[in-house]
Amino acid sequence: MKKDNSTLEEQANYDENEEKDKSHSIWLFWTQRRYILTFMLMMGSVIMFSLRSNLSVAIIQMTSNITDHNGNILKVADFDWNSKEQGIILSSFFYGSTITQIPGGILSKRVNGARLYGIAIGLTSILTILTPLAAHNFYTMVGIRTLMGLLLGVTFPVQMALISKWAPVKERAQMAMFVNSGLCYGTVIGLQFSGIICDYINWEFAFYIFGVAGLIWYVFWLVIIKETPEKDTKITEQEKRLILSSIGDQGKRDIKIPWMDIFMSVPVWALIAAHFLHSWPSYMLMMHLPTFFSQIMDIQLSKTGFFSCVPFLINGVVGSFSGILSDKLLSKGNLTVIQTRKLFTCVSFVIQAIFLLGVTFFMTPIASMVMLSVEIAFSAFTLTGFWINFIDIAPQFTGIIVAISNTIATLSGIIAPTLTGFIVQNGVVEEWKIVFYISAGVCLLGAIMYGLMAEGDLQPWAVIPVEDERKSIEMEEKKEMISNKNES
């Protein structure tokens, strides 16, 4: 009875705090510590994806002769990589990130996730600065991109683990999607500014400038961010109660991971399938869209960056609002959790397929940009559905499951760009049509699999027994006492 009274009291406190907190908005991120974390995670995503995508534009200048208006060669290309080798280089990042996803998920439960997240991006920024030096050999170029992938592979599971520790239940979608919008903004910045930098300075500076920007972000992250609300000395008691009464004290839990249950769970495999199939067209476009506009539309390099980045910019904006829309639908009670997730995921997958097919009929610069903008915009709605579903079904094991899913989804980042490189060896329209046909089919498969297999309820194997939780908390408290004693 004591536990029931405690639960009712916590719920009452949560409702009261939630009512008081309505005046705060995620857009006014500086007003609440959880929103500051969200903003810094979003900026971390911007840095990560600008470090990923700048090569997609820079590689065009790196492998192209500079000619005058009459076609006379003024400067021979710095590198003679063919289409297959370029596909391998563009995919090599994912070789590394595939390996470290699951270790990252495990580490998110064992070590300071905020520190791990910052170090990974900081070291990747240094490697980005060293990329022009590594590029003088094909194998060192593949190696440094693979090493970047190894480092950034840990960031996604750690990112989701941090969100699960800071986001009240009714703010999960908007906080997660606000963070994920940084992926699109980073791609936009990487594509657009890399084109401008390459045209007006040189391709090397596309790596120097973004690498320095990443190091600046890292300094701010170290100073500002703490792993949990309990460790943040600047959070107000009101905000701390709001978070902890909604999600519980997750910062002190070290629960045994139910590996077998996770791998045998149909809802988990629904998420993995949706994640992989959603990532396929996203990675293909991120890696090869500048080449598509350059080969088929014969567009200047700086303008290639513009045409390539517009769809991702729209995706970022749509993604920020799709999370808010999802949370509002849930708050009104008209739809259940799984109905909301399937509405966003399945319908959006189908619309993505339609517009990917549409590109094959209207291969002009403006029409292609419009078609791809709509396709990528709806991919944000797709992500809003299945991405939050990770937290729905197993909040305590979000980092682990995201790591497993991202490991498998990252394979699409290897397969899709590499396959595209093999298909478009001549850079003609018919070859690019095949690429878009495949991506459309992948999206339709995603709608079917998620619609049939996904669930929205907390899974039985993800419910933590009270006794296990009590022992875990006691163990963590003893560790803290020993640590504090040693420090003193």
Side-chain angles (χ1 to χ4, degrees), residues 9 47 59 114 117-118 191 193 223 236 250 252 350 447-448 463 488:
E9 183 179 349
I47 295 297
I59 200 169
Y117 185 82
L191 293 175
F193 284 93
V223 173
T236 64
Q250 296 189 32
K252 295 183 179 180
V350 172
I448 294 169
V463 177
S488 62

Side-chain angles (χ1 to χ4, degrees), residues 9 27 39 44-45 47 71 92 96 112 123 127 144 189 199 215 251 254 279 318-319 333 416 419 459 479:
E9 183 179 349
W27 300 103
F39 177 77
S45 296
I47 295 297
S92 58
N112 188 317
L123 290 177
L127 291 177
I144 200 167
I189 292 169
D199 264 354
L215 292 176
D254 187 15
S279 298
V318 172
L419 180 62
Q459 297 301 292
K479 288 180 182 178

